[in-house]
Amino acid sequence: MTQDFVISAFGTVTPPGPGLTGWFDQRAELGRGYRHLPPSAQYLLAAVKRALAQEGIGVALLAVPEERRAVAVGTNHAVAGMHAEIDQATVAGEARLLSPTAAPYFSPNLIASRIAMEHALKGFSLAVHTPRTAGLEALQAGLRALRSGRADWLLAGATEAVPPESDKAAVTVRGAAEEGALALVVEPAQAVRAGGRRALGRVDVSSVFVPPGQAEFPEDVRAALGVLLEGLSYGAGPQVRLTGDGSPVARAVEAALDAPTEPAGAGSLRPLQAIAEALAHATAPQIVVTATATGNVSAALVTPSTPQ
């Protein structure tokens, strides 16, 4: 029988307002030894720290063997600033000035690896980078691995940092980019109950691909969304929350779902934030959907726990 997994906690780190700089104090949040890490790694480490600080979560983690703990992280432009710095230093012939502590983070996969090292998450370490849907896909892949027996405990999340002006790929029709991080703790429902704790709820994720050239055919888009929502096995009538990038695919999904698109900047963070909001405040199931110009569409069915 497939084991039942629930969201037991989440931690979030985001700017208190749009366009703010200097809002994150890494020394106060994390202590010594993190100054040279990219901001996106600092944000996610702080979000994980906040999640693990919640009652009973850190103790429950210690009870799980290290090889049964795992992490899955989504990001789109977590290290775009590092890429720009390396490019500039190399072109100027000053690569020797790059920090040996920071330079390895040219690979965004190291964001997840750093979380794995910090918390001895040795089951698996996964990074996903699909535009906009990366956070949901990381959670989907992590849940699939848990259900297949690869691990018993999961940190799933997303992190983004504002890219440099030179990174044109991060600019959307809204001209904004996400910043911050969110971490979700996923545990077996039985372990949460045994510890006398209350789960926040359950989340399931499904994904499909809508070829951008098919976005002009409503029947094809509706058929693809039918497969997407069928994969969630959802009941009738949940509220749908949709984020998109204004592309033909996103507009076609909006029309097929008959749901308005919520504004969101470039990045993979907003859908996970919507999941956390539903877990914390909703009293009925919600579906969080995101779509992107490349044709990737992901949806999460969020079922908050009933208050006791």
Side-chain angles (χ1 to χ4, degrees):
M1 186 176 76
T2 303
Q3 192 168 190
D4 183 21
F5 290 92
V6 295
I7 309 298
S8 58
F10 67 84
T12 184
V13 172
T14 52
L20 294 180
T21 59
W23 60 273
F24 183 79
D25 186 342
Q26 58 86 19
R27 181 68 177 273
E29 290 277 357
L30 301 172
R32 298 177 61 88
Y34 298 90
R35 179 166 60 92
H36 293 292
L37 298 185
S40 56
Q42 296 175 1
Y43 300 156
L44 188 58
L45 284 164
V48 170
K49 181 179 179 181
R50 293 181 182 184
L52 296 180
Q54 296 179 39
E55 185 176 0
I57 302 299
V59 174
L61 171 60
L62 294 177
V64 180
E66 294 180 357
E67 67 275 10
R68 302 299 297 172
R69 312 171 186 174
V71 58
V73 175
T75 187
N76 290 165
H77 43 79
V79 295
M82 174 60 64
H83 290 166
E85 182 181 346
I86 291 175
D87 288 347
Q88 292 166 7
T90 303
V91 170
E94 298 178 341
R96 68 187 185 283
L97 300 180
L98 291 170
S99 165
T101 305
Y105 286 89
F106 78 89
S107 169
N109 295 347
L110 287 189
I111 304 295
S113 298
R114 181 63 189 237
I115 300 298
M117 289 186 291
E118 289 272 328
H119 300 287
L121 311 180
K122 299 180 180 179
F124 60 85
S125 174
L126 173 69
V128 182
H129 309 294
T130 314
R132 193 170 294 279
T133 61
L136 286 181
E137 289 182 1
L139 178 57
Q140 178 182 10
L143 285 169
R144 183 168 58 241
L146 291 180
R147 289 165 180 158
S148 69
R150 285 282 306 278
D152 298 320
W153 191 97
L154 174 72
L155 270 175
T159 185
E160 302 290 356
V162 174
E165 292 295 327
S166 59
D167 190 354
K168 302 299 184 183
V171 178
T172 68
V173 292
R174 295 184 176 86
E178 295 179 332
E179 183 176 23
L182 188 142
L184 297 160
V185 176
V186 187
E187 297 184 72
Q190 183 178 0
V192 174
R193 289 192 298 269
R197 295 177 288 131
R198 177 177 170 270
L200 297 178
R202 290 169 172 77
V203 179
D204 204 1
V205 185
S206 179
S207 299
V208 295
F209 179 70
V210 177
Q214 299 298 110
E216 59 185 275
F217 301 104
E219 298 83 2
D220 292 348
V221 175
R222 284 195 294 269
L225 292 178
V227 173
L228 177 76
L229 299 179
E230 183 180 355
L232 297 177
S233 301
Y234 77 104
Q239 176 189 355
V240 175
R241 302 180 62 178
L242 172 65
T243 65
D245 55 10
S247 66
V249 171
R251 292 196 301 270
V253 170
E254 179 178 12
L257 292 176
D258 192 24
T261 301
E262 297 182 9
S268 62
L269 183 57
R270 180 60 196 144
L272 288 190
Q273 290 174 326
I275 287 176
E277 291 164 4
L279 289 170
H281 305 297
T283 57
Q286 291 187 2
I287 293 179
V288 175
V289 182
T290 192
T292 189
T294 56
N296 302 92
V297 185
S298 293
L301 173 63
V302 186
T303 307
S305 293
T306 304
Q308 296 178 347

